[in-house]
Amino acid sequence: QNTVAYMFFDDDKTSFKLEETEEGFCNNHLPSNKVGKVIILSEQNGKYLIGENSLRVSNEATLTMVTKEMTLEEIKKILATL
């Protein structure tokens, strides 16, 4: 699989890898009711894709991600700000 997802929390500079499931990505160890940023990274046919969106953590949280194509250097710049 060429796709990974992470959730970042600005206030305490923590990140969590989200595990891929049949329904999407999840992590049962996220801090409840905190707002963070979900980042999805993917490489498809030699093209790099990134999606990002904010989410408040809850047991019922769902999020639709839209990815956009970027160069690897552009993605690295985004990740450096997290």
Side-chain angles (χ1 to χ4, degrees), residues 22-48:
E22 288 182 15
E23 294 83 31
F25 290 91
C26 71
N27 182 311
N28 293 326
H29 304 289
L30 297 173
S32 184
N33 207 34
K34 283 185 76 172
V35 175
K37 182 182 283 189
V38 177
I39 302 282
I40 290 182
L41 302 168
S42 185
E43 185 271 328
Q44 303 291 325
N45 299 320
K47 297 179 182 181
Y48 297 100

Side-chain angles (χ1 to χ4, degrees), residues 64-79:
T64 300
M65 299 290 288
V66 176
T67 59
K68 57 186 172 183
E69 186 178 339
M70 290 189 162
T71 66
L72 191 54
E73 291 306 314
E74 290 171 320
I75 290 173
K76 286 179 181 180
K77 286 179 184 177
I78 290 172
L79 296 178

Side-chain angles (χ1 to χ4, degrees), residues 2-55:
N2 295 330
T3 303
V4 294
Y6 291 88
M7 186 154 192
F8 297 88
F9 297 97
D10 288 338
D11 59 344
D12 56 7
K13 298 292 183 193
T14 58
S15 63
F16 294 84
K17 184 174 185 192
L18 303 178
E19 301 299 325
E20 190 168 11
T21 68
E22 288 182 15
E23 294 83 31
F25 290 91
C26 71
N27 182 311
N28 293 326
H29 304 289
L30 297 173
S32 184
N33 207 34
K34 283 185 76 172
V35 175
K37 182 182 283 189
V38 177
I39 302 282
I40 290 182
L41 302 168
S42 185
E43 185 271 328
Q44 303 291 325
N45 299 320
K47 297 179 182 181
Y48 297 100
L49 306 169
I50 186 169
E52 53 185 316
N53 211 334
S54 295
L55 177 72

